[in-house]
Amino acid sequence: MRLLRTPEDRFADLPDFAFEPQYTDLSDPDGGLIRVGYVEAGPADGPPVLLLHGEPSWSFLYRKMLPVLADAGLRAIAPDLVGFGRSDKPAEIADHSYARHVEWMRRFSFDVLGLNDVTLVGQDWGGLIGLRLVAENPGRFAGVVAANTGLPTGDVDMPPVWHKFREAVEGAQILDVGRCVQAGCQTPLSEEVRAAYDAPFPNEMYKAGPRAMPGLVPTRPDDPASEANRAAWATLTELDVPFLCAFSDGDPITGGMAPILQRSMRGAGGLDHPTVAGAGHFLQEDAGETLAEHVARFVRK
């Protein structure tokens, strides 16, 4: 597997993102090492919160949430998925699979960081990957916050707006990552913020990850990831781990999943599930501080 590494100077002077980058090497299941970048905020001995981003963003998405969680005494950890942010980027679309992304984040979270009693915050693909981590390693988790995400099995079709997004990504001669993020926000992004979302990708060669992810979402019952996701559903629905749904009020892609998760997950019972007002798909951009406050209260309870 050929890996690309974004030059560090691409990440200079990012707006409101002065967190010290950290790096670790993962052993890939197929051999070799992959570098994963991440940022942390808060006390090292605080309750850990694992913040997983989605497509096509990176840990920069959590810049508004990290200080709020740190001020609440939590250890907030935001890794870049392999193929995104400061992490190494497999150069071919075929290098990416759902199972590989789950395993990469498992090795990062448990083999490298050794996290226990961790609360997952997963949005978009951060939930698709993170919910699998919870289901397959339930003893490691103290709680789950699902924010504009789901766990598709391919047994139910995705909404039409998602299919349009997939077609746009697959058909784009030049994939404008900043524009994709802006399309998922209710509030306008500054040129500096849009440039920060583009920063990990100096040219099209680096974008195999963002191009691959829509095609990895299970859309048919016999998808390679469908059986594992069905097994995850079976585990999660019986799990007693507290499960908070914190969805926005303006996401046409995942909004329909909120009531399904609330009534399906045993750990969701009896909780006050907030709706984050005035936010789109990327609610961390539109209302990051508000979402972080909900997460902090949930963890502290």
Side-chain angles (χ1 to χ4, degrees):
M1 181 167 58
R2 184 168 63 96
L3 297 173
L4 303 176
R5 183 167 294 175
T6 303
E8 197 62 34
D9 61 7
R10 294 276 301 181
F11 301 103
D13 301 322
L14 298 177
D16 301 318
F17 199 64
F19 306 96
E20 186 69 24
Q22 302 188 54
Y23 300 96
T24 188
D25 288 328
L26 306 181
S27 59
D28 183 70
D30 296 327
L33 295 176
I34 297 178
R35 191 177 78 164
V36 169
Y38 64 105
V39 294
E40 283 197 35
D45 60 351
V49 179
L50 180 65
L51 305 160
L52 295 186
H53 70 84
E55 151 84 351
S57 63
W58 60 292
S59 58
F60 178 77
L61 181 68
Y62 284 104
R63 70 193 182 283
K64 299 178 183 179
M65 296 182 61
L66 288 163
V68 177
L69 298 175
D71 288 346
L74 309 181
R75 179 191 179 192
I77 305 157
D80 296 324
L81 298 181
V82 173
F84 297 81
R86 291 185 169 99
S87 293
D88 283 347
K89 296 166 180 65
E92 305 299 330
I93 290 177
D95 293 332
H96 296 265
S97 73
Y98 198 146
R100 261 185 163 174
H101 278 280
V102 172
E103 179 61 13
W104 284 328
M105 283 297 101
R106 187 199 67 78
R107 295 188 180 202
F108 169 79
S109 302
F110 308 138
D111 294 354
V112 175
L113 295 190
L115 298 178
N116 281 297
D117 295 324
V118 60
T119 296
L120 167 74
V121 177
Q123 182 262 340
D124 190 84
W125 260 100
L128 272 71
I129 294 169
L131 292 176
R132 282 275 297 273
L133 288 179
V134 177
E136 295 167 14
N137 308 272
R140 296 276 192 165
F141 288 89
V144 176
V145 179
N148 289 1
T149 192
L151 190 62
T153 63
D155 299 305
V156 178
D157 196 15
M158 298 291 287
V161 65
W162 180 86
H163 285 286
K164 291 181 180 179
F165 171 74
R166 176 177 176 173
E167 292 168 3
V169 170
E170 292 178 345
Q173 185 174 359
I174 296 177
L175 181 59
D176 189 335
V177 171
R179 182 179 180 184
C180 287
V181 176
Q182 175 64 89
C185 296
Q186 296 283 340
T187 53
L189 304 182
S190 69
E191 289 300 317
E192 292 79 12
V193 168
R194 287 179 61 155
Y197 282 112
D198 290 326
F201 311 107
N203 57 51
E204 296 305 302
M205 291 174 56
Y206 289 75
K207 298 178 184 177
R211 288 189 180 276
M213 295 308 253
L216 301 182
V217 176
T219 57
R220 62 182 193 277
D222 62 345
D223 185 276
S226 292
E227 194 58 39
N229 280 15
R230 290 190 196 102
W233 269 100
T235 298
L236 292 169
T237 53
E238 295 301 319
L239 205 59
D240 284 329
V241 172
F243 193 110
L244 186 73
C245 295
F247 280 58
S248 72
D249 63 353
D251 183 12
I253 298 175
T254 66
M257 283 303 303
I260 295 173
L261 293 172
Q262 289 176 34
R263 67 173 179 261
S264 298
M265 300 301 171
R266 174 178 292 185
L271 297 182
D272 183 14
H273 300 279
T275 298
V276 180
H281 182 63
F282 294 106
L283 70 173
Q284 303 98 316
E285 268 294 341
D286 289 325
E289 296 90 346
T290 300
L291 177 59
E293 290 167 0
H294 288 303
V295 172
R297 283 194 293 269
F298 173 68
V299 175
R300 283 305 181 188
K301 285 184 178 179

